[in-house]
Amino acid sequence: MRAFLALAEHLHFRDAAAALRMSQPALSGAVAALEETLDTRLVERTTRRVLLTPAGERAARRAESIMAELDRLEEEVNAVRGPLVGPLRVGVIPTVAPYLLPIVLPRLAADYPDLELSVHEEQTEQIVAELLAGRLDVVLLALPVPATGVTELTLYDEDFVLVASGAAALPAGPLPRSALADLDVILLNEGHCLRDQALDVCREAGARAAASTYATSLATLVQLVSGGFGVTLVPETALAVETRAAPGLVPHRFAAPAPYRRVGLAFRSTSPRADEFGVLAGAVRAAVAAQIPEVRVPG
């Protein structure tokens, strides 16, 4: 049924299989098995795409509600078994995952050995949609969440740090935000919430974002800065990782109050696993506070 719902959403076998992380033959076989069970054709297979039959459209609507109830049943059972036991599907945005997961995952593995964790990395819009659809249990992202019906738990606040090449000849000591007004700030591509946050900082300072240079990752942004393409803003948790591989870079911190972002955990407000997610938030906060003292973790 999950295979059929993925196919109904994507209307393409390859895309549906990729979404479920399974092979195309396995997905095709699952859909065929459902058709055999129901004794009707659910999809029309063409040379380029897949179309739902009238029966398939009705089945898709019904299957969504059935799977939502099954997911809720699984959540309720896991909630009774104890905190962080059994399957947990986590979504993480790309500007958090590479820096937070290496810190948090070993702690979770040591403290909660019965946790069966799966991680999905994607931009904010996608993981929030997956959360609301019931395909993810909890997400780690920059707050606030752009959706209703979601409960947020703050994990930490982290300052943005200006990263420039040594040739930029910026003054030593904390920088006022107004210093951005004289610099070309390069940003991530559209779709990254970090881009929007950096744009807000630039607007407040009267700065301009470089119109012709964008990147799909923080790693690429930092390498561009190392090559002389302007400056960029990097969150504190990413600073050591990204600047280590880029020679000749100088981090410049801002004078108080420095621009910052808030990273948190979010889940559906109707989820019966709220207490469990509170335990997860506590574990993440403890791991971050122990290894990245520059961030601010709520007491």
Side-chain angles (χ1 to χ4, degrees):
M1 196 173 292
R2 288 194 192 278
F4 168 63
L5 280 176
L7 187 60
E9 178 183 354
H10 295 280
L11 296 178
H12 196 287
F13 276 97
R14 183 188 62 226
D15 294 344
L20 294 181
R21 294 180 174 83
M22 64 190 301
S23 68
Q24 287 182 236
L27 183 133
S28 180
V31 173
L34 182 60
E35 289 180 316
E36 183 177 350
T37 299
L38 298 177
D39 193 24
T40 189
R41 286 186 62 189
L42 301 175
V43 297
E44 178 184 343
R45 298 161 175 83
T46 70
T47 56
R48 294 186 177 180
R49 58 179 304 188
V50 173
L51 301 174
L52 293 182
T53 65
E57 291 179 355
R58 296 187 66 179
R61 291 194 295 270
R62 188 67 166 166
E64 284 180 356
S65 61
I66 292 172
M67 294 311 302
E69 285 301 313
L70 284 174
D71 288 340
R72 184 168 179 80
L73 173 62
E74 185 178 7
E75 285 184 336
E76 290 176 352
V77 170
N78 286 333
V80 175
R81 292 167 63 187
L84 301 182
V85 172
L88 183 65
R89 300 165 298 177
V90 180
V92 194
I93 59 174
T95 57
V96 167
Y99 320 111
L100 187 61
L101 294 183
I103 295 172
V104 171
L105 293 183
R107 187 184 189 98
L108 291 177
D111 294 348
Y112 303 98
D114 294 325
L115 178 63
E116 301 168 17
L117 195 66
S118 60
V119 178
H120 178 70
E121 183 188 47
E122 193 52 85
Q123 294 179 10
T124 299
E125 182 178 354
Q126 284 77 20
I127 63 169
V128 170
E130 294 281 296
L131 175 70
L132 295 177
R135 291 187 285 270
L136 292 174
D137 301 310
V138 65
V139 294
L140 305 177
L141 72 177
L143 301 181
V145 179
T148 58
V150 173
T151 297
E152 302 174 355
L153 299 177
T154 297
L155 297 175
Y156 57 87
D157 293 342
E158 58 177 335
D159 290 345
F160 286 111
V161 180
L162 180 71
V163 174
S165 70
L170 290 170
L175 290 176
R177 295 194 196 194
S178 58
L180 288 170
D182 300 321
L183 302 170
D184 285 324
V185 184
I186 59 174
L187 305 172
L188 291 172
N189 285 340
E190 291 185 6
H192 290 273
C193 62
L194 185 60
R195 168 190 170 84
D196 298 330
Q197 294 157 351
L199 276 172
D200 288 341
V201 174
C202 291
R203 291 190 192 103
E204 290 174 7
R208 62 188 182 276
S212 59
T213 303
Y214 297 108
T216 59
S217 69
L218 276 175
T220 302
L221 271 184
V222 171
Q223 291 296 332
L224 288 170
V225 172
S226 179
F229 286 87
V231 302
T232 195
L233 297 172
V234 176
E236 185 71 58
T237 52
L239 186 64
V241 173
E242 298 301 350
T243 58
R244 189 181 301 129
L249 292 181
V250 179
H252 299 270
R253 288 181 168 78
F254 289 94
Y260 73 96
R261 72 170 179 175
R262 174 162 292 173
V263 174
L265 175 154
F267 55 92
R268 294 182 301 281
S269 298
T270 56
S271 174
R273 304 176 72 179
D275 291 342
E276 186 175 5
F277 297 144
V279 172
L280 176 62
V284 174
R285 292 185 194 116
V288 171
Q291 298 200 38
I292 311 179
E294 293 84 0
V295 305
R296 296 179 296 281
V297 176

